[in-house]
Amino acid sequence: MADLTKSHCSHTDIAFVQFSSGSTSFPKGIPVTHGKIVTQMQAIANHAQNRPSDATASWLPLYHDMGLVGGLLTTLYVRHNLHLSTPMHFLMNPVEWLSELSEKKIVIAVIPDFAISYCLRRLAITDPEEIANLNLTQLRMVFNGSEPINIDKLHQFLEVLAPYGLQPTAIKPCYGMAEAVLMISCCKLEDVPRIVTLANGCKAISVGQALSTFDIRLRTEDGLLCHEGEIGEVELRGGTLVDNYFESERPFYNCDDFFPTGDLGVISKGELFVIGRLNDRFKINGQSYFASDFEHAIESLPFVQPSKVATIQADDRIIVLIETKQASILQQVIDHQRQVSEIVLNQLGIKTPVDNILLIRPGQLEKTSSGKLRRIAIAQAYITGKIMLAKNAINGC
């Protein structure tokens, strides 16, 4: 048997290359050094206030930064037990996942936000006796990130599971990106996430204060630094930000060494509220709205499944695309289009003509490997006539 030898790595050597999600552009390689990954894992562990007996659970794929760094590597780094499962395991039975959190006394978990809506839909049709022994009192910190937070669904989730011991402080909205290895900010352990109301009437949820090693600032469209509560692009410096994209000469930092993230947000009382992507913003009646504002409102309708709706802008029109194959829905298309139009008007104050609301065949809302909607690609497919209406499937067209 050959002798095993330790590899000698410096903190500047590349540990691995991870890729950006590709939701708004082609995925970019991000070289993560040993020094950056260790610093990030220690920051997550410090924020979670890990205890020796803590157990962690994750079903996120290991090719995703939140699954790899937040779920697997950080747990190994602090030498805790990790209960690792697959995305399919969760998707097949989210209620069983909740039961496993209870039975295995999980303290820390990592999830994308859609998991909350997905669990709620399944819990609504679950026999109460099936979860009678559910006990989530030990669940101290659920890192919730990767996509915009659906505030109404989060509150509903906490309300539904409160009788089973889930604490209002347990779900922790966080903000991160591959360019920073993973986490940039997160709500504190003891805090219930704050909610603010924006000028357009939409609500935003806090993703906490930045980790101490990061500098965060916001800039307006005119390049000016934002005041308290003013919307601007989030720019970062320091922390575990990488130095460049892999094998690319593309400038990474701007002229004063800040990295423009492409995310818009506001800062209130020192906390960051991320409200959407620059590329997903719609300007309507002088106000900024985001695709996720529409999608979260529409997902509150019982016939719309989580992650099966996309809102795009084409020819200056707001277009809503909803994947469905349910015959009961397709037999009353006009009625369901009106329901969508009404919910958008009631929640956002925006009139959306029913002709701009389309029920389409499943599988056409293109997504990244991490499950994020590729809205630019979806808009291009719509503009070029490649989106097929669900009603055509019934007519055999």
Side-chain angles (χ1 to χ4, degrees):
M1 181 177 178
D3 291 335
L4 297 177
T5 58
K6 292 183 178 179
S7 63
H8 297 282
C9 300
S10 76
H11 71 282
T12 58
D13 288 334
I14 295 176
F16 54 84
V17 176
Q18 64 183 7
F19 284 80
S20 60
S21 67
S23 59
T24 58
S25 63
F26 191 79
K28 296 176 284 291
I30 297 156
V32 179
T33 63
H34 289 277
K36 298 286 188 185
I37 184 64
V38 170
T39 301
Q40 174 69 200
M41 292 187 297
Q42 186 62 58
I44 295 173
N46 291 344
H47 194 84
Q49 299 180 30
N50 289 100
R51 304 164 185 168
S53 61
D54 287 351
T56 300
S58 175
W59 49 263
L60 291 173
L62 299 183
Y63 55 75
H64 185 270
D65 54 0
M66 197 170 180
L68 177 63
V69 179
L72 177 65
L73 295 181
T74 299
T75 308
L76 296 178
Y77 177 74
V78 296
R79 301 183 181 185
H80 288 172
N81 288 334
L82 171 64
H83 297 272
L84 189 64
S85 57
T86 65
M88 188 56 67
H89 176 75
F90 170 79
L91 293 172
M92 292 295 292
N93 197 336
V95 175
E96 183 178 331
W97 173 71
L98 290 172
S99 297
E100 290 174 356
L101 296 181
S102 171
E103 294 167 7
K104 295 172 181 176
K105 301 186 184 305
I106 299 299
V107 175
I108 299 169
V110 290
I111 61 169
D113 189 68
F114 92 87
I116 288 177
S117 298
Y118 199 80
C119 282
L120 283 172
R121 181 174 285 268
R122 191 62 63 91
L123 284 168
I125 58 173
T126 298
D127 187 335
E129 291 190 5
E130 187 178 333
I131 56 173
N133 296 323
L134 195 66
N135 183 354
L136 300 175
T137 54
Q138 78 293 331
L139 192 59
R140 189 175 76 239
M141 176 165 277
V142 181
F143 290 102
N144 180 12
S146 184
E147 53 196 2
I149 307 296
N150 189 323
I151 298 172
D152 291 340
K153 294 295 184 182
L154 172 57
H155 288 165
Q156 186 181 349
F157 186 74
L158 290 169
E159 182 180 348
V160 168
L161 293 178
Y164 303 95
L166 184 64
Q167 300 300 309
T169 57
I171 310 295
K172 298 300 180 189
C174 50
Y175 172 58
M177 60 183 59
E179 287 87 347
V181 183
L182 183 60
M183 194 167 79
I184 296 165
S185 71
C186 185
C187 292
K188 293 180 180 179
L189 185 65
E190 65 278 8
D191 289 349
V192 175
R194 289 175 53 221
I195 309 293
V196 297
T197 301
L198 305 174
N200 61 8
C202 294
K203 295 180 179 179
I205 191 167
S206 171
V207 291
Q209 296 182 352
L211 301 180
S212 60
T213 53
F214 284 100
D215 291 325
I216 288 187
R217 72 181 188 187
L218 273 59
R219 276 187 181 270
T220 67
E221 291 180 278
D222 299 325
L224 303 175
L225 292 180
C226 292
H227 300 294
E228 174 91 358
E230 187 177 8
I231 294 176
E233 182 179 8
V234 180
E235 296 186 343
L236 302 174
R237 183 173 65 183
T240 50
L241 271 174
V242 302
D243 298 321
N244 54 269
Y245 288 114
F246 186 62
E247 295 183 346
S248 171
E249 297 181 359
R250 171 183 173 178
F252 192 80
Y253 295 98
N254 58 23
C255 59
D256 48 357
D257 295 328
F258 274 82
F259 171 67
T261 64
D263 293 314
L264 291 174
V266 299
I267 290 179
S268 171
K269 298 180 180 179
E271 296 182 33
L272 178 64
F273 296 74
V274 178
I275 59 177
R277 295 285 295 172
L278 267 169
N279 290 337
D280 294 336
R281 179 175 59 174
F282 309 139
K283 285 289 190 74
I284 304 172
N285 300 327
Q287 297 287 350
S288 291
Y289 295 87
F290 295 87
S292 57
D293 295 331
F294 289 80
E295 291 154 7
H296 289 168
I298 295 166
E299 284 180 354
S300 67
L301 294 169
F303 69 89
V304 180
Q305 298 183 37
S307 301
K308 297 296 183 183
V309 55
T311 309
I312 59 173
Q313 194 163 23
D315 301 325
D316 295 325
R317 295 183 301 145
I318 302 299
I319 304 295
V320 176
L321 304 173
I322 303 172
E323 289 186 344
T324 186
K325 61 179 179 181
Q326 298 181 42
S328 59
I329 295 174
L330 298 175
Q331 289 168 2
Q332 300 179 27
V333 171
I334 302 269
D335 178 57
H336 289 93
Q337 287 173 316
R338 286 173 178 161
Q339 289 184 47
V340 172
S341 182
E342 288 172 4
I343 200 76
V344 170
L345 180 61
N346 291 339
Q347 293 197 18
L348 303 181
I350 297 171
K351 294 182 179 179
T352 308
V354 293
D355 290 343
N356 293 0
I357 300 164
L358 307 178
L359 304 183
I360 66 172
R361 296 184 186 184
Q364 297 184 86
L365 297 182
E366 190 174 339
K367 297 177 182 177
T368 68
S369 60
S370 58
K372 296 179 181 178
L373 289 168
R374 298 191 63 203
R375 293 191 183 88
I376 293 176
I378 293 169
Q380 186 61 30
Y382 171 80
I383 291 168
T384 56
K386 295 179 181 178
I387 297 292
M388 295 180 288
L389 298 181
K391 65 179 182 181
N392 288 347
I394 294 178
N395 296 332
C397 299

